[in-house]
Amino acid sequence: MSYDLVVIGTGPGGYVCAIRAAQLGLRTAVVEKRKTHGGTCLNVGCIPSKALLHASHLFEEARDHLSELGIGVGAPKLDLKRMMAFKNEGVEGNVKGVEFLLKKNKIDVFHGVGRIAAVGQVEVRGEDGTNQMVEAKNIVIATGSDVARLPGIEIDEKAVVSSTGALELERVPKRLLVVGAGVIGLELGSVWRRLGSEVTVVEFLDRILPGMDGEVAKQFQRILGKQGIAFRLSSKVTGVEKTKGGLKVSVEPAAGGDAETIDADVVLVAIGRVPYTEGLGLEHIGVQRDAKGRILTDEHFATNVTGIYAIGDVIAGPMLAHKAEDEGVAVAEILAGKAGHVNYEVIPNVVYTFPEVASVGRTEEELKAAGIAYTVGRFPFTANGRAKVNRATDGFVKVLADAQTDRVLGVHIIGAEAGEMIHEAAVLMEFGGSAEDLARTCHAHPTRSEAVKEAALAVEKRAIHM
Ligand SMILES: Cc1cc2nc3c(=O)[nH]c(=O)nc-3n(C[C@H](O)[C@H](O)[C@H](O)COP(=O)(O)OP(=O)(O)OC[C@H]3O[C@@H](n4cnc5c(N)ncnc54)[C@H](O)[C@@H]3O)c2cc1C
């Protein structure tokens, strides 16, 4: 069994890499330790969380808002078991899709834990204890990431859960405490709030969504607060005690001070993710990692060991499925002798709550820190016709453009469907477009996207509807 390429891990990075390599004529195999393909994203990440966000949003709409539109449905009844089945069906459809694509592209699949025995050799240990050796000219490590844990707090996936357990709860917890105000905590916190939980989010920093634009984070926190999520910023969770009456969570000021106790029924630990390299045998072959455990690569995804590459969550950069996919395509193209490349300046980032938050490019804080002079155009959805008629006016669009050249450097949106709208900004930025280019592009009326055009007009203080 000898291949041009063996990819370890079939998450969005690995399976996309394998497909692109096969398209380019490389004899390709994948190794996957899970029973199903698709990695974190399809099995316990993007896909199941979006299924629950969709279902819980519709539940809330039916309960609280449809009557305003003249649609009387009575009080909706939650069938959580059926909702979970709906989510699982969505996962199943997606993972089967990947299986089909691997087959269609004639990619050999080895199920088991992959270990790099030597340069050009991957040993696959099957669940039944069998061992196979697979030879490869090149190896791509795409083993992804795992949940980050809080020291001293044991995750049992029942009362103290990670995102994986939070996607599987059998009952709606009366009180859910979320540790961490990042994307995953806010998305899953929103799911359970909509289904009836009292949600408190405890965050170490003095803001939510670290890394996102500060103005966006502030307004988004206000919106989530109005929806009923309580925030405890600049605070840290130091312990969780299980008692008969539920969980006693110790919370202290981040800067130090007296601890207080918050009662909860379920605690969701969502403090981030860490690269996953267990069992790969990296020490043994000398692949270098950084202090955070991420595999070190050069701009061509090559590690320090010839013939071994790495992509996705296991290397530096945003832990996002589409970043992993693009790296998978790029490394496959490089291995096939082409010029694979990822533009890290233009990677969209989306929070799939309601409203959604979407951004691409630089934040105001980043531009200030880099000493880049910029102009800002803002446009609120309260002034957008479609948003008004749909009664979804929370949020705004913000366009950041270079003060000298007018080139768009960042776009940030809070609003319904922001995750779909952000891509016109991404395309514009890939082509080095200016705010004027965006402003002079005809946008269909009535659409929410007109707010993007208006924000671009506002860069020159000439928005029409404001
Ligand atoms: C709750 C949640 C929601 C998320 N939502 C989003 C979202 O909406 N959008 C987004 O872009 N990102 C989202 N993410 C992040 C996204 O899931 C990851 O960025 C993405 O899955 C990374 O892809 P990857 O291919 O690098 O790794 P992974 O998807 O983690 O895949 C790695 C694969 O490697 C396998 N593996 C590991 N070690 C071995 C080994 N030794 N041998 C064989 N196989 C091995 C694993 O079983 C796994 O299948 C979410 C994550 C979570 C947890």
Side-chain angles (χ1 to χ4, degrees):
M1 283 171 294
S2 181
Y3 296 91
D4 295 318
L5 172 63
V6 169
V7 184
I8 307 177
T10 56
Y15 86 75
V16 169
C17 174
I19 291 173
R20 184 69 187 123
Q23 284 176 346
L24 291 168
L26 301 187
R27 189 164 146 65
T28 305
V30 292
V31 181
E32 174 52 57
K33 72 184 172 95
R34 264 201 181 91
K35 286 198 172 67
T36 52
H37 299 295
T40 304
C41 176
L42 271 60
N43 291 281
V44 292
C46 325
I47 294 299
S49 59
K50 266 78 257 180
L52 289 185
L53 280 158
H54 176 64
S56 61
H57 175 63
L58 293 182
F59 178 74
E60 187 173 45
E61 286 291 287
R63 186 185 59 201
D64 300 340
H65 301 297
L66 287 190
S67 61
E68 294 160 16
L69 278 60
I71 305 170
V73 289
K77 201 168 150 279
L78 176 65
D79 180 348
L80 188 58
K81 222 170 157 188
R82 179 64 212 132
M83 194 179 278
M84 289 294 172
F86 158 78
K87 173 210 63 172
N88 294 340
E89 285 156 16
V91 169
E92 204 181 314
N94 275 281
V95 299
K96 284 212 169 119
V98 175
E99 194 179 323
F100 164 78
L101 290 172
L102 292 173
K103 219 176 258 167
K104 181 181 159 210
N105 285 281
K106 302 192 173 40
I107 294 162
D108 287 347
V109 174
F110 295 88
H111 277 288
V113 177
R115 187 181 77 93
I116 305 177
V119 171
Q121 290 192 333
V122 178
E123 179 191 36
V124 184
R125 260 177 301 123
E127 243 182 28
D128 55 0
T130 52
N131 264 356
Q132 289 184 83
M133 195 63 88
V134 186
E135 310 245 320
K137 282 192 197 129
N138 294 292
I139 297 167
V140 170
I141 301 169
T143 48
S145 60
D146 193 11
V147 168
R149 280 148 215 280
L150 267 173
I153 296 173
E154 193 207 334
I155 292 175
D156 60 15
E157 299 296 12
K158 292 271 177 251
V160 181
V161 297
S162 70
S163 53
T164 305
L167 293 165
E168 296 282 339
L169 295 178
E170 286 167 6
R171 273 181 299 278
V172 179
K174 187 169 172 322
R175 298 154 305 179
L176 172 69
L177 186 136
V178 180
V179 191
V183 178
I184 293 175
L186 297 182
E187 287 185 356
L188 293 175
S190 291
V191 165
W192 293 106
R193 181 201 59 73
R194 292 167 186 171
L195 300 181
S197 297
E198 289 163 24
V199 177
T200 303
V201 178
V202 180
E203 166 59 48
F204 186 83
L205 299 174
D206 60 359
R207 53 163 294 171
I208 68 168
L209 290 179
M212 277 205 161
D213 188 88
E215 183 188 8
V216 167
K218 225 178 232 164
Q219 175 150 354
F220 186 50
Q221 187 188 332
R222 268 201 298 272
I223 293 170
L224 291 179
K226 266 197 307 189
Q227 293 176 359
I229 294 185
F231 287 94
R232 303 290 292 265
L233 303 182
S234 306
S235 303
K236 59 182 175 190
V237 168
T238 52
V240 178
E241 191 196 334
K242 284 183 187 160
T243 69
K244 271 197 185 143
L247 302 171
K248 302 261 174 221
V249 186
S250 303
V251 180
E252 286 177 23
D258 293 339
E260 62 172 306
T261 303
I262 300 180
D263 293 324
D265 301 295
V266 171
V267 168
L268 160 60
V269 179
I271 55 165
R273 297 184 61 82
V274 288
Y276 183 81
T277 54
E278 233 175 87
L280 274 176
L282 297 187
E283 302 81 9
H284 155 77
I285 46 161
V287 169
Q288 285 173 353
R289 279 168 288 176
D290 68 11
K292 292 183 174 163
R294 300 175 297 195
I295 295 177
L296 285 168
T297 56
D298 65 12
E299 69 278 19
H300 292 133
F301 310 100
T303 69
N304 61 309
V305 177
T306 308
I308 301 180
Y309 298 79
I311 56 166
D313 278 11
V314 82
I315 69 169
M319 286 182 160
L320 293 170
H322 40 286
K323 177 260 193 189
E325 288 186 36
D326 281 12
E327 290 178 342
V329 169
V331 75
E333 292 181 345
I334 290 167
L335 291 175
K338 294 182 172 290
H341 175 71
V342 176
N343 178 6
Y344 292 98
E345 293 289 321
V346 186
I347 296 192
N349 198 350
V350 179
V351 189
Y352 296 85
T353 42
F354 191 89
E356 292 182 342
V357 181
S359 66
V360 63
R362 310 277 192 101
T363 62
E364 283 203 57
E365 291 75 17
E366 285 168 345
L367 292 173
K368 279 183 193 143
I372 298 171
Y374 62 93
T375 41
V376 187
R378 287 186 189 79
F379 192 82
F381 281 106
T382 44
N384 171 270
R386 186 68 181 276
K388 275 203 311 229
V389 77
N390 285 3
R391 293 218 191 159
T393 50
D394 273 341
F396 63 95
V397 180
K398 173 159 91 170
V399 174
L400 305 173
D402 188 291
Q404 262 86 52
T405 64
D406 195 39
R407 183 178 177 147
V408 172
L409 302 174
V411 175
H412 306 272
I413 309 175
I414 304 181
E417 291 153 45
E420 301 295 335
M421 289 161 59
I422 197 68
H423 295 100
E424 69 166 304
V427 173
L428 178 93
M429 288 171 69
E430 279 290 356
F431 283 91
S434 64
E436 188 178 352
D437 290 329
L438 194 48
R440 288 192 183 276
T441 303
C442 188
H443 282 63
H445 175 78
T447 58
R448 303 182 63 86
S449 297
E450 286 173 286
V452 178
K453 174 182 170 147
E454 291 272 12
L457 281 165
V459 168
E460 273 204 347
K461 302 195 176 16
R462 58 189 193 96
I464 299 289
H465 292 92
M466 200 172 55

